[in-house]
Amino acid sequence: MIGGKKGSIAIFTYHHRHRETESITNSPFLLVCQPSHEPPSNHLSLFFSFFSIKSNSSTSQSSAIPTPFPTSSLLLLLLSVFNPLAVISRQSAEMGSIDKERTIVGLAATDPSGHLSPYTFTLRNTGPEDVFIKVMCCGVCHTDIHQVKNDLGMSRYPMVPGHEVIGEVVEVGSEVTKFSAGDVVGVGCLVGCCRSCMACDSDIEQYCNKKIWSYNDVHTDGKPTQGGFAESMVVDQKFVVKIPDGMSPEQAAPLLCAGVTVYSPLNHFGLKKPGLRGGILGLGGVGHMGVKIAKAMGHHITVISSSDKKRVEALDHLGADDYLVSSDAAKMQEVADSLDYIIDTVPVNHPLEPYLSLLKVDGKLILMGVINTPLQFISPMVMLGRKVITGSFIGSMKETEEMLDFCKEKGLSSMIEVVNMDYVNTALERLEKNDVRYRFVVDVAGSKLLQQ
């Protein structure tokens, strides 16, 4: 215990003793506490053994208590005397005390050129509701290009991008209830919200006007947020999701943005029922997940593209039902007034009229691409079919959990190309040219760049 006065910090290290060998090995966990009141003096010198929390251990005994001491009783004793601040892994303890900021390395853009280079920065302390995560891998999204190059005019530098983050929980705050050390978890586009507006009260926090982005933003403590192209992150538990058992981390990463971005509008607009006819405009990272998820919902799916070069991939690899080249006027006319919805994933300026003509009465054109120039259409294209042009932005935490469970149930995965950190700049260049099938995923933990 560090200090003996009220308000001081107590750190109890648990040990496990084998009766047969009497050998003592350090446990993987520490309990960091703050006294709730002045503890009895004998509590200051207690050296507790580590007991499995799963069950009362018959092979463990305390070095301070001569007879086997039940786990539940030990925990009750601890909790009656101390308010836990955090339960942390030994790995975290070796990285530094919980009350000290951690210094980590990531890849950051420092100017609108968008070039990423090694950058050292600090993470905030792990708060009561925070989860400290060691990053395993991170997907690369087209939005990362917009952000690092300041295409939207609101970039803050230095900027560590990455919002499709998969990692392992290393440490949790004392009020974290959903996660524990060792869990494989994900972090998407957001890490904060106001929790009091209509959007937050309705569990659609992605539309909160005070939402906090996972990078290129400022946290409530005044520190800049940094993304997943780095060793570690500290994230509020509300914005962390458990990755289903058996799901590959690399496969799961793109689902945290591309997957939920498609799932959310299908869910919100009542388009999950089977038998619908849908169109996917643009076959990239989001588009390919759109085909997979919509097909798993029982929809007839037409991929719409500007050229014929992805026809085989769309039909044979992704399972689309039809493929439509937008410049083929005769074929476009054949498909007119036939689709219930179109998910438009194109991230550059393009005309809307050709696609509005494909929709049935009450059909929906759902915009998802981030475009920084105005889109145009003539109003009769909408009026004469009571058609809707709408947009959708990622998805809520609730929808993200639902989407992950849906993908696990249906056996869905993303099509990816795994690269190391030293390839990220090349990956961004290739992504800008649409030269990837269909999502880059960066192997952060396995990259030598962050181990040097």
Side-chain angles (χ1 to χ4, degrees), residues 107-122:
L107 288 183
T110 57
D111 58 56
S113 71
H115 183 82
L116 304 184
S117 56
Y119 171 62
T120 300
F121 61 101
T122 60

Side-chain angles (χ1 to χ4, degrees), residues 248-266:
S248 162
E250 293 82 5
Q251 292 288 345
L255 301 181
L256 300 174
C257 177
V260 73
T261 294
V262 172
Y263 182 89
S264 179
L266 294 175

